[in-house]
Amino acid sequence: AEGVYNTVNMLFKSIFYSAEHSKVIADNPTKRINSKGGVPQKERLPLTDEQVKLLLDTIRDLPPYLFVMIGLYSGLRREEILGLKWDCVFLDEEVPYIAVRRAWHSDHNRPVITTDLKTKAAKRDVPIPANLVDCLREAKEKSISEYVIADKNGEPLAYSQLRRIWNYITVRGTQERTLYKYVNGQAIRKTFKPEPGQKCVNRENIVYCLDFKVTPHILRHTYITNLVHAGVDPKTVQYLAGHENSETTMDIYAKAKYNKPQELSAVVNDALGKSEAEGS
């Protein structure tokens, strides 16, 4: 019965996606429905400026820092970051940029680098800001690899290596976790939710401080949202994100950066204040 349900669920999702692509419908009601069970996926929100600062301060001297910087300030997909070689990083041009030409995927935990990108639109040249230029320049001076993100032998990361690197972020999160304590040879399960600022009992150099979720895709969400929030026109954002159409950019990825009254106040007053000044 479950197999039939999943098959029917996927059929309906395919129909709605086709209808949306053909512009028969404006919005796809199945967009956030999980194909395995029909449970709506949680909305992934971009990071605020304060969260970005806290994240970068927390991991500044840790292995995921370079990956996070590239994600936040170039918007590359996970597979594009892991497939990036130095021959596609142009730091000494008048306008420094990254050329997206390769992608990474994992085959039985072995990294595979290909020039077959997700879509034709994924092939693009992304100008990068000064803080990322400086970060990449420093990394390049220390690098022994042709890959920007590499293991200790200069090879592209395996999936298991990526997970270990990302764990430097995960382990500092305040999300609830399950711990096991062994008493008389028997495992006793206990749930634990650390408070922000609390130190890890077994590793005092780890402080639980990230009270928000961080994934490679959320870094990309944040990049795209920041462009939209800054008033960059949708077609330009579409190109920089490597999307085939601007609807994907605006409807799925570009979430409101601020949604609390105290955060929106400056935005609203700035907009209305300009209008009032221009009217007078």
Side-chain angles (χ1 to χ4, degrees), residues 216-276:
H217 203 67
I218 283 177
L219 304 178
R220 177 170 162 81
H221 265 293
T222 303
Y223 171 82
I224 295 171
T225 302
N226 284 341
L227 292 179
V228 175
H229 183 73
V232 180
D233 71 273
K235 281 295 182 183
T236 301
V237 179
Q238 173 193 341
Y239 171 80
L240 293 172
H243 289 152
E244 291 194 305
N245 61 75
S246 57
E247 289 180 4
T248 301
T249 308
M250 304 305 291
D251 296 342
I252 300 178
Y253 288 86
K255 307 297 181 184
K257 186 175 182 182
Y258 302 109
N259 56 14
K260 296 178 182 178
Q262 59 268 34
E263 294 170 336
L264 289 166
S265 176
V267 177
V268 172
N269 280 297
D270 184 50
L272 296 180
K274 285 181 179 179
S275 299
E276 186 177 341

Side-chain angles (χ1 to χ4, degrees), residues 15-39:
I15 292 171
F16 276 105
Y17 271 104
S18 296
E20 182 184 29
H21 183 71
S22 302
K23 302 190 184 300
V24 175
I25 58 175
D27 185 54
N28 180 359
T30 70
K31 193 174 292 178
R32 287 193 291 273
I33 297 294
N34 193 312
S35 60
K36 297 181 179 179
V39 179

Side-chain angles (χ1 to χ4, degrees), residues 35-260:
S35 60
K36 297 181 179 179
V39 179
Q41 298 175 3
K42 290 183 180 180
E43 187 176 26
R44 291 171 293 188
L45 296 175
L47 303 180
T48 65
D49 293 344
E50 292 76 15
Q51 289 172 335
V52 167
K53 183 178 185 307
L54 177 58
L55 173 62
L56 293 177
D57 287 345
T58 300
I59 64 168
R60 191 165 303 276
D61 297 317
L62 298 175
Y65 183 76
L66 180 58
F67 184 107
V68 170
M69 284 290 292
I70 297 172
L72 284 172
Y73 295 108
S74 72
L76 268 62
R77 299 175 175 92
R78 179 187 70 168
E79 60 268 25
E80 295 168 349
I81 297 175
L82 294 176
L84 184 62
K85 291 185 177 183
W86 288 113
D87 65 358
C88 285
V89 178
F90 300 91
L91 302 177
D92 297 319
E93 300 293 320
E94 183 177 352
V95 177
Y97 69 97
I98 289 174
V100 181
R101 299 294 184 270
R102 301 180 183 91
W104 166 101
H105 73 266
S106 180
D107 183 10
H108 296 90
N109 198 40
R110 297 184 63 180
V112 178
I113 308 299
T114 177
T115 55
D116 293 329
L117 303 179
K118 185 174 182 179
T119 64
K120 289 182 179 179
K123 183 179 178 181
R124 61 202 190 278
D125 296 333
V126 182
I128 53 177
N131 59 344
L132 181 54
V133 171
D134 293 341
C135 181
L136 286 167
R137 198 182 300 280
E138 183 179 344
K140 188 176 183 180
E141 290 175 358
K142 301 175 182 177
S143 178
I144 61 167
S145 174
E146 61 180 334
Y147 290 93
V148 176
I149 304 292
D151 65 15
K152 63 181 181 180
N153 298 316
E155 297 298 321
L157 297 185
Y159 180 70
S160 59
Q161 291 173 315
L162 174 63
R163 291 191 61 179
R164 282 199 296 273
I165 287 176
W166 205 257
N167 193 53
Y168 282 91
I169 296 174
T170 305
V171 76
R172 287 165 170 79
T174 61
Q175 71 278 7
E176 186 175 271
R177 58 201 71 198
T178 301
L179 303 176
Y180 291 91
K181 184 177 181 180
Y182 289 88
V183 179
N184 297 326
Q186 184 178 6
I188 299 176
R189 180 180 174 181
K190 180 182 178 181
T191 57
F192 168 65
K193 190 176 190 315
E195 295 292 329
Q198 183 178 348
K199 288 186 177 181
C200 177
V201 175
N202 300 323
R203 300 168 64 185
E204 289 196 355
N205 62 318
I206 293 178
V207 178
Y208 304 115
C209 57
L210 303 176
D211 59 350
F212 48 89
K213 188 171 184 179
V214 183
T215 67
H217 203 67
I218 283 177
L219 304 178
R220 177 170 162 81
H221 265 293
T222 303
Y223 171 82
I224 295 171
T225 302
N226 284 341
L227 292 179
V228 175
H229 183 73
V232 180
D233 71 273
K235 281 295 182 183
T236 301
V237 179
Q238 173 193 341
Y239 171 80
L240 293 172
H243 289 152
E244 291 194 305
N245 61 75
S246 57
E247 289 180 4
T248 301
T249 308
M250 304 305 291
D251 296 342
I252 300 178
Y253 288 86
K255 307 297 181 184
K257 186 175 182 182
Y258 302 109
N259 56 14
K260 296 178 182 178

